[in-house]
Amino acid sequence: MAVQGFGNVGSWTARLIGELGCKVVAVSDVKGGIYRSGGLDVQAVYDHVQETQSVIDATGMESITNADLLELDVDVLIPAALDRVTAENADRVAARVVVEAANHPVSPAGDAILQDKGVVAIPDILANAGGVTVSYFEWVQNIQQFRWDEEQVNAELKKTMSRAWKNVHARSTVDAIPLRLAAFAIAVEKVDRAARMRGYV
């Protein structure tokens, strides 16, 4: 896996997927990136960033550009930094799966190219919705004047995100449409249903 962006989202993504046993071979930030074919010691990279404010010049790593990272021959590419980063180089993306951890990192034109290549794009509306979901949990708790501990928050988050993934994936499979379109279709239907139930329509 390769992760573009090593801020709050990217660094946590890299650390968590590493704990799952996935091999992170490259990460980057605004100054550039680092690569190691055998896999990075993500925690060591994180510690390096705490000292130097960048991933570059981490010990024993090959320097690469952000453009290089996007085109690495990896199974999974995770753009977790900027929007619309895969517009011009989408045809050179070698990953089989792109997980949008940033907001709108794949442009519409790039998205079409990835679809034509058979790349599975897990859209930002699904992939990076965890933070907003937890914010909603906090809002609900504040209104009702109660508090969940971290374990309960994580359990509820996993339940919510797993259900969302299953629904989007099922819609994508049944209708033979990309995951992004399936997610949008489900979202629009929910808004439509709520508007009708409340008498707005």
Side-chain angles (χ1 to χ4, degrees):
M1 297 189 171
V3 182
Q4 186 198 41
F6 206 71
N8 197 33
V9 174
S11 65
W12 273 107
T13 299
R15 282 180 283 172
L16 291 172
I17 60 180
E19 290 174 8
L20 293 173
C22 301
K23 182 166 66 173
V24 180
V25 298
V27 296
S28 68
D29 57 32
V30 68
K31 295 182 180 178
I34 54 174
Y35 170 79
R36 184 170 177 269
S37 60
L40 308 177
D41 180 339
V42 178
Q43 186 59 50
V45 173
Y46 180 79
D47 293 341
H48 173 77
V49 170
Q50 300 313 298
E51 294 179 8
T52 68
Q53 307 305 309
S54 178
V55 300
I56 60 172
D57 296 329
T59 305
M61 305 297 167
E62 177 184 339
S63 294
I64 59 173
T65 67
N66 272 288
D68 292 335
L69 183 142
L70 295 174
E71 299 170 16
L72 287 173
D73 185 10
V74 293
D75 296 308
V76 180
L77 171 63
I78 305 175
L82 306 171
D83 65 343
R84 302 185 184 218
V85 293
T86 53
E88 296 180 358
N89 58 350
D91 60 333
R92 298 189 298 277
V93 169
R96 292 185 286 279
V97 177
V98 173
V99 181
E100 296 186 328
N103 291 326
H104 198 250
V106 179
S107 70
D111 199 30
I113 293 171
L114 295 180
Q115 286 180 40
D116 289 344
K117 292 176 59 173
V119 175
V120 175
I122 301 177
D124 55 355
I125 192 174
L126 182 62
N128 73 4
V132 176
T133 301
V134 172
S135 294
Y136 169 74
F137 292 163
E138 292 173 346
W139 177 74
V140 170
Q141 291 171 73
N142 287 337
I143 287 177
Q144 300 185 34
Q145 295 296 303
F146 65 86
R147 297 290 180 269
W148 293 347
D149 58 25
E150 183 179 352
E151 184 177 348
Q152 185 174 0
V153 170
N154 286 333
E156 293 297 327
L157 176 62
K158 182 175 182 179
K159 189 188 308 179
T160 300
M161 296 303 295
S162 295
R163 182 171 58 247
W165 165 253
K166 289 175 184 175
N167 290 341
V168 171
H169 184 265
R171 181 66 173 268
S172 172
T173 302
V174 170
D175 290 355
I177 57 177
L179 292 167
R180 186 186 314 282
L181 186 55
F184 285 163
I186 290 171
V188 169
E189 287 170 357
K190 285 184 175 183
V191 172
D192 175 70
R193 185 162 53 250
R196 291 180 186 280
M197 289 177 65
R198 293 174 183 178
Y200 300 155
V201 178

